Amino acid sequence: MALTIFGGSALLLKTDLHVTGDIDAVIRMEKEDVELRKLLRKYNINDDLKSVMELPPMEDVYEDMETLNVPFNNIKVELPSPELLIISKLFATRQTTKDMEDVLNSGILDHADINKLKMLYKEYRGYTVLPERRYNSLDDLLEDWENRKKKGR
């Protein structure tokens, strides 16, 4: 089984910023196990990402992720690249500023390849309908990030 961690928990694992009380993950099992899914939900491991995250496509995530060295025998724990983690926050469907604040406060932008992030954002916007009304703006995010850096935050 593999867990690919997203959301605030991924930011916590990459940057030590505590931003959430649950774990958003994509759970991949060789054989479906309903009881295991129930157990994971009991411990706040949420696998219902499609309700809040439209992009990036999981095929792209599986090609560009980091496997964490954790002491589990039967579970592989993975994180998306910094760029794809940021993309997942930019294309969250819940339309709040919390996702942008999480990205800014976590420092994950300092670990991202900004040119790659811009390229991915442009590509994924092409997959959406009315992106300016539905999703967060990368330009606004990068402008806020630059302003915070100038202020020393």
Side-chain angles (χ1 to χ4, degrees):
M1 180 175 82
L3 293 175
T4 305
I5 309 296
F6 283 88
S9 295
L11 292 174
L12 170 67
L13 291 167
K14 282 212 176 272
T15 66
D16 296 329
L17 176 72
H18 181 74
V19 293
T20 189
D22 68 347
I23 298 173
D24 296 320
V26 172
I27 302 167
R28 294 178 296 163
M29 298 181 205
E30 289 182 24
K31 182 179 173 202
E32 184 60 33
D33 187 332
V34 174
E35 292 304 313
L36 179 57
R37 284 194 188 273
K38 285 181 186 175
L39 180 65
L40 292 171
R41 275 193 290 279
K42 178 181 173 184
Y43 290 99
N44 289 328
I45 299 175
N46 169 29
D47 68 336
D48 187 26
L49 288 181
K50 289 295 177 196
S51 66
V52 294
M53 186 185 90
E54 290 188 20
L55 294 164
M58 289 310 297
E59 307 82 55
D60 292 359
V61 173
Y62 297 147
E63 291 176 8
D64 191 12
M65 61 186 168
E66 168 190 359
T67 300
L68 299 182
N69 183 16
V70 291
F72 299 130
N73 293 329
N74 297 313
I75 300 175
K76 182 166 71 168
V77 180
E78 306 160 329
L79 293 175
S81 69
E83 299 81 16
L84 290 175
L85 180 56
I86 294 164
I87 289 290
S88 75
K89 292 293 207 171
L90 287 167
F91 287 98
T93 58
R94 56 185 153 233
Q95 282 297 289
T96 69
T97 59
K98 183 181 181 322
D99 288 306
M100 294 304 83
E101 287 302 315
D102 288 351
V103 170
L104 290 167
N105 292 333
S106 70
I108 192 79
L109 282 162
D110 296 325
H111 302 280
D113 176 333
I114 300 303
N115 289 327
K116 180 179 177 182
L117 179 61
K118 288 177 179 180
M119 180 199 67
L120 290 169
Y121 182 77
K122 183 178 179 181
E123 176 187 344
Y124 294 145
R125 270 182 61 102
Y127 298 165
T128 65
V129 177
L130 301 173
E132 62 283 346
R133 292 187 181 170
R134 295 190 63 204
Y135 305 109
N136 293 296
S137 163
L138 177 60
D139 291 335
D140 291 348
L141 176 68
L142 294 175
E143 182 180 329
D144 288 350
W145 180 53
E146 289 297 330
N147 288 337
R148 287 179 181 219
K149 286 191 331 187
K150 287 176 188 172
K151 293 178 182 176
R153 293 196 287 169

